[in-house]
Amino acid sequence: MNPLLKVSDLRVSFPGKGWRAPRVEVLRGVSLDVRPGETVGLVGGSGSGKTTIGRAILGLVPVQSGTIEFAGERIDGLSPRRRRALARDIQVIFQDPYTSLNPSLTIGDTLSEPLLAQGHAAREARARVAVLLDRVKLPADAADRLPREFSGGQRQRVAIARALAIDPRLIVCDEPVSALDLTTQRTVLDLLLEIQAQTGVAYLFISHDLAVVRFMSHRVAVIHRGEIVETGEAAAVTSAPENPYTRSLLLAAPIADVERQRARREQFEREVASPRA
Amino acid sequence: MSETAPLSAEPLSTGVSTVRRGGAVRRLLRHPLGLASSAVLAAIVLGVLLAPVLSPQGPEVSSLRDAFAGPRAGHPLGFDSAGRDVLSRLLYGGRNTLSGVLLALAVALALGVPAGLVAGYRGGRFDAASSWIVNLVMALPAMVVLLASRAIVGPTVWVLMVVLGVLVSPNFFRLVRGIVVGVRGELYVDAAKVSGLSDLRIVGRHVLIVVRAPIIILMALVAGIAVGLQAGLEFLGIGSGDLPTWGAMLNEAFKNIQRAPGLLLWPGLALGLTNAALVLFAAALRDVLEDRGATVSPRRRRTPVEPPRSVAGERAELLSVRDLAVSYGSREVVRGVDLDVSAGEIVGLVGESGSGKSQTAFSILGILPEGGRVSRGSVTVRGREIVGLAEREHRALRGDVIAYVPQEPMSNLDPAFTIGSQLVEPIRVKLGLSRAEARAKALDLLRQVEIADPERVFGMYPHEISGGMAQRVLIAGAMSCDPELLIADEPTTALDVMVQAEVLGLLRRLQRSRGLGVLLVTHNLGVVADLCDRVAVMSEGRVVETGPVAQVLHEPRDPYTRRLLDAVLDDAPAREPWTPPADSPGSPGRPDPEDSQDPKDSQKPKDSQDSQEVAR
């Protein structure tokens, strides 16, 4: 089956700081693809460029070279008008549920925004908002309230509802649960899985947390310093990684088990960190 | 996961309508200055609008017989040098003065706001060009331009006010541009772009709403300035002499100051009142719209701290907390916490945001945020009661016995000073060392926190080092006075996993070599398993379970701890490989029950089974 999203040899760089400073290369030839209804996890440390991939796909940062195709059509370097039309297909859930909702708009206004932008009538949009709130398991009266009346997990549900508003085919999830508490994180992940089962939406799931990525993704790509260092089925990459960076990433994350964590720590210190005594 | 101050984290249950516009007006009228200044402004505007009704005669009607005549029936303020009624001239003059101000404001808004919006939102060449022009306009001396424009276009108030509007428009431009540059980077603006909104719509919906309040505040301030400037011009005789304005009245009165000094009083009073009311109105608006002031009065009532209700169990020598309660107003966020840390022991304090774990740590350190106080309980450090200690003694304790490592390393370093000077200063003050000795000690500390090149880092500024390095520097600072108890509040939450592993290793080695007692506040059960000897689990202000780490993680007794452990994904199975959807692709919204792709069904039971197996 043809991939829904195909990124080939993507390069992105930002202007350096200071006058005539060289450009900083953030992505150095990244290729990946996402099939319909599939979740591809993208995992990497801070500064690895994982967020930039998402932003490039969303058209929020300019692409220097390489191509991004969606359903067989190039979507890099689109005109603003055609980019806006693409909102129907590609949506986003950001990391921070506190800054990704406008504090002075009601939840209902935020949710109806993409609908109105796609030319739906106001009455139609209102009805759809009620359906969306129900789908993300928020009370119907949430529509009239402001973001600050909600907890982080509830706000993230609002962000999910906004992404779902116009039935996209792909949602870029940029660290959607890393700002949430452990138990909230689990319920939000379950909600995302449930929505995928119902609608067949594909996710590009970006996270620094290998455990979360393993739980969510069919396939996993590991990014390090702007390059994909390993890709494969989730089970393979997250339990028997071939790449040394992936291995160290796996070993670095502490697990909630004293004995096994001690073994992992010793392995990490043997393989990766060499403590300066 | 930062545990924000509970006051702001608490959702406002007061209802929905509090924040919208009506709410702002109501709050303004509840603000004492707001009420007074609005009343004065309303009276002035009303009086001026109703000039034809209120004034005894037209502003130009004069009878020389009455020149300088005092107040009498029907003419409460008397007559001026030309025998015109002062009250009438005051009211009609106010009309002209205030219309002039409105004209200037309108011009300034029309020029400044749209240009500021575009420059801030778009950036690039338009921004560069318009900022250049604005700087040029701001560099022009206003008085000289006003005088020159009068000389060129003639003495009419209206033209002068238009010119004034142009001259003050940069204020609006810069205000709006500055705010918009900030808003442009917000995630919700990105989300709106992804939602398919055009730039025009984003500016209209998301950006204008943010600049609205500051613009209104600036308008009130600029109106005050415009009133003053206009009166000044008229007073100097630069306005149009024939039109009655407050400034023109002042001018006339000044000419006759020897004969009838009282004539200065009324226009002066009108100007002063209007100006004062506008400035106070702006200040009150700022309080109301930006949620400042008038909220928590600094007046702190000294309520006695209740003694602990029970002091159960043996108390640890180093740190012992019994029945600790922390309150914000009447709301308790920590409700009776017991906790012990012995020398050489690492105790984890875990919980989710809002559980009160950071508040507990803050009250031991004596650094509770504004509004919070220890309302009950006992905290002893090395056997000494520290609840109710004076701030000075608490500070001594913090430098001497207790050290603190915060969550956000970067925001705890001052960007204006080098790493070295930030380490050396406290060492000199606390230990009374000479500069050279303190420097040697600081370098030694940097070495102890495993920084490879201490000399180089010593001379660097905070922005030149990474987050992990910054956290090492803060740990070095915490170690500088050889503490016995270290309180670390989510010390690795802001760091990358790899860096986290290194910093955890460092903390472990430091703790071992120095025999430190550590209280580690965290939400991460992996960190607890990695580092801690014992752990206390907090939920809703209480410790629900405490014990050796292995026991709590493997055989949790409390249902909340169990729920927390169930949410851990460490041992959740990887997702099954993707299989092509059963029916045609690209038709979303097909809930086919036969399609056994529901990952919840296939994963959840397996997962909880797994984690139980692992746990037991």
Side-chain angles (χ1 to χ4, degrees), chain A residues 1 35-39 44-47 55 58 60 83-88 90-92 94-96 98-106 109-110 112-114 116-118 144-146 148-151 162 166-169 177-186 189-191 193-194 196-201 203 208 211-212 214-218 233-236 238 245 248-249 251-262 265 268-269 272-273 275-277, chain B residues 1 4 8-13 15-16 18-20 186-199 201 205-207 209-210 291 351-354 357 447 450-452 472 495-502 504-505 508-509 512 523-532 549-551 553-554 560 563-581 583-592 595 597-600 603-604 607-608 614-615:
Chain A
M1 180 176 290
R35 295 169 289 194
E38 187 186 29
T39 303
S46 54
R55 294 180 66 83
L58 295 165
L60 295 174
R83 185 80 230 179
R84 285 204 290 276
L86 206 62
R88 224 181 300 245
I90 307 179
Q91 275 302 319
V92 68
F94 286 116
Q95 167 177 8
D96 189 344
Y98 292 88
T99 56
S100 70
L101 301 177
N102 188 331
S104 38
L105 289 185
T106 64
D109 286 343
T110 294
S112 52
E113 192 163 72
L116 298 175
Q118 296 295 328
D144 300 321
R145 300 204 251 153
L146 289 170
R148 70 169 182 192
E149 297 176 56
F150 294 89
S151 68
R162 172 175 57 193
I166 29 190
D167 274 325
R169 288 197 274 169
V177 294
S178 61
L180 304 181
D181 275 324
L182 202 54
T183 49
T184 323
Q185 164 177 317
R186 183 59 181 269
L189 292 178
D190 284 339
L191 176 66
L193 289 174
E194 189 186 315
Q196 187 168 48
Q198 282 168 2
T199 64
V201 67
Y203 295 135
H208 69 280
V212 169
R214 174 176 54 213
F215 180 70
M216 287 299 293
S217 316
H218 298 104
E233 301 292 347
T238 59
Y245 176 77
S248 52
L249 205 59
L251 288 174
I255 61 172
D257 182 298
V258 177
E259 290 307 314
R260 280 160 60 211
Q261 173 53 24
R262 181 174 308 148
R265 177 173 72 227
F268 177 79
E269 287 180 350
V272 189
R276 287 145 285 203
Chain B
M1 232 145 299
T4 38
S8 58
E10 177 76 357
L12 294 179
S13 49
V16 186
T18 48
V19 261
R20 288 270 138 152
E186 293 283 354
L187 281 181
Y188 62 77
V189 170
D190 280 342
K193 277 186 201 160
V194 175
S195 290
L197 265 69
S198 62
D199 284 351
R201 226 161 148 160
R205 266 178 84 88
H206 293 280
V207 179
I209 212 166
V210 184
D291 270 334
E352 308 206 310
S353 49
K357 57 185 192 303
R447 221 165 282 125
E450 297 162 10
I451 287 174
R472 282 170 194 269
L495 306 177
D496 201 59
V497 250
M498 303 276 247
V499 184
Q500 162 171 293
E502 288 169 18
L504 289 177
R508 180 181 304 106
R509 288 186 285 277
R512 290 217 179 122
H523 70 279
N524 188 329
L525 293 170
V527 170
V528 169
D530 186 65
L531 204 58
C532 298
V549 171
Q551 180 252 304
L553 294 185
H554 285 238
Y560 175 77
R563 209 150 56 82
L564 212 55
L565 281 163
D566 282 346
V568 170
L569 291 171
D570 291 343
D571 297 308
R575 201 166 171 186
E576 298 293 313
W578 175 81
T579 46
D583 50 358
S584 66
S587 64
R590 59 202 133 81
D592 185 359
D595 191 353
Q597 265 268 285
D598 190 337
K600 255 193 104 182
Q603 278 192 337
K604 239 193 155 174
D607 158 55
S608 50
V614 171

Side-chain angles (χ1 to χ4, degrees), chain B residues 271-552:
Chain B
L271 280 168
L273 264 180
T274 310
N275 230 332
L278 280 170
V279 170
L280 292 180
F281 182 71
L285 258 183
R286 172 166 309 171
D287 282 353
V288 168
L289 292 176
E290 296 179 0
D291 270 334
R292 282 202 299 209
T295 45
V296 190
S297 53
R299 188 163 25 108
R300 193 179 279 179
R301 262 180 297 142
R302 269 247 171 252
T303 329
V305 181
E306 282 177 48
R309 289 192 199 129
S310 71
V311 186
E314 201 180 320
R315 302 190 70 170
E317 167 64 18
L318 183 59
L319 170 70
S320 170
V321 177
R322 286 293 177 277
D323 196 28
L324 176 76
V326 175
S327 310
Y328 285 79
S330 58
R331 214 162 55 82
E332 266 191 359
V333 295
V334 175
R335 323 184 208 175
V337 161
D338 291 357
L339 200 67
D340 284 282
V341 180
S342 304
E345 181 187 41
I346 307 185
V347 176
L349 187 58
V350 289
E352 308 206 310
S353 49
S355 63
K357 57 185 192 303
S358 291
Q359 299 298 320
T360 303
F362 290 160
S363 43
I364 296 168
L365 287 159
I367 53 168
L368 278 174
E370 178 98 20
R373 61 179 204 97
V374 173
S375 51
R376 191 179 68 237
S378 152
V379 178
T380 55
V381 173
R382 282 207 303 202
R384 179 181 175 206
E385 180 62 54
I386 63 165
V387 166
L389 220 55
E391 166 57 25
R392 200 163 46 84
E393 291 174 83
H394 227 137
R395 203 182 308 140
L397 201 67
R398 277 201 295 271
D400 196 22
V401 186
I402 314 180
Y404 172 54
V405 175
Q407 173 174 11
E408 293 283 342
M410 275 307 178
S411 49
N412 280 280
L413 289 172
D414 188 331
F417 294 93
T418 61
I419 302 298
S421 71
Q422 296 190 49
L423 282 175
V424 163
E425 268 317 300
I427 293 175
R428 285 187 59 206
V429 172
K430 272 280 173 191
L431 304 180
L433 297 180
S434 75
R435 195 169 287 276
E437 286 167 333
R439 180 186 155 87
K441 170 132 182 131
L443 285 171
D444 184 47
L445 284 167
L446 290 177
R447 221 165 282 125
Q448 283 184 38
V449 294
E450 297 162 10
I451 287 174
D453 190 353
E455 295 276 351
R456 201 166 66 90
V457 173
F458 190 90
M460 284 172 135
Y461 284 90
H463 72 265
E464 297 173 298
I465 64 176
S466 67
M469 185 77 88
Q471 193 58 292
R472 282 170 194 269
V473 168
L474 285 177
I475 293 173
M479 292 300 126
S480 64
C481 301
D482 293 316
E484 296 170 36
L485 174 66
L486 177 70
I487 295 182
D489 183 14
E490 304 263 11
T492 57
T493 303
L495 306 177
D496 201 59
V497 250
M498 303 276 247
V499 184
Q500 162 171 293
E502 288 169 18
V503 170
L504 289 177
L506 168 68
L507 281 174
R508 180 181 304 106
R509 288 186 285 277
L510 276 177
Q511 185 266 337
R512 290 217 179 122
S513 65
R514 293 167 165 255
L516 278 174
V518 179
L519 180 65
L520 179 78
V521 179
T522 182
H523 70 279
N524 188 329
L525 293 170
V527 170
V528 169
D530 186 65
L531 204 58
C532 298
D533 303 309
R534 289 193 305 122
V535 62
V537 182
M538 273 191 86
S539 169
E540 294 175 3
R542 292 198 174 83
V543 171
V544 296
E545 179 163 12
T546 169
V549 171
Q551 180 252 304
V552 173

Side-chain angles (χ1 to χ4, degrees), chain B residues 115-297:
Chain B
L117 280 173
V118 175
Y121 189 75
R122 270 288 159 81
R125 262 182 228 145
F126 180 84
D127 184 25
S130 53
S131 293
W132 193 85
I133 294 173
V134 158
N135 291 339
L136 184 75
V137 172
M138 289 193 97
L140 294 174
M143 254 323 172
V144 175
V145 175
L146 285 170
L147 292 178
S149 62
R150 178 191 186 259
I152 297 167
V153 292
T156 73
V157 185
W158 311 116
V159 172
L160 281 182
M161 287 292 109
V162 169
V163 174
L164 184 64
V166 173
L167 288 177
V168 296
S169 64
N171 293 302
F172 288 95
F173 173 87
R174 292 175 75 132
L175 175 82
V176 170
R177 181 187 168 276
I179 298 172
V180 172
V181 165
V183 173
R184 187 180 58 180
E186 293 283 354
L187 281 181
Y188 62 77
V189 170
D190 280 342
K193 277 186 201 160
V194 175
S195 290
L197 265 69
S198 62
D199 284 351
L200 202 65
R201 226 161 148 160
I202 292 175
V203 169
R205 266 178 84 88
H206 293 280
V207 179
L208 265 184
I209 212 166
V210 184
V211 294
R212 199 179 57 193
I215 287 182
I216 296 175
I217 294 164
L218 185 64
M219 273 170 67
L221 279 175
V222 167
I225 294 169
V227 167
L229 253 176
Q230 193 218 33
L233 288 172
E234 297 275 354
F235 177 70
L236 295 175
I238 296 162
S240 45
D242 47 345
L243 203 63
T245 64
W246 290 338
M249 287 175 73
L250 268 185
N251 182 8
E252 280 171 28
F254 187 67
K255 283 180 196 150
N256 300 297
I257 192 165
Q258 301 294 348
R259 218 167 139 191
L263 282 179
L264 271 174
L265 178 66
W266 301 111
L269 203 61
L271 280 168
L273 264 180
T274 310
N275 230 332
L278 280 170
V279 170
L280 292 180
F281 182 71
L285 258 183
R286 172 166 309 171
D287 282 353
V288 168
L289 292 176
E290 296 179 0
D291 270 334
R292 282 202 299 209
T295 45
V296 190
S297 53

Side-chain angles (χ1 to χ4, degrees), chain B residues 59-80:
Chain B
E60 306 298 344
V61 178
S62 77
S63 66
L64 287 174
R65 199 155 32 94
D66 291 329
F68 299 114
R72 63 167 186 252
H75 303 276
L77 304 184
F79 296 86
D80 71 358

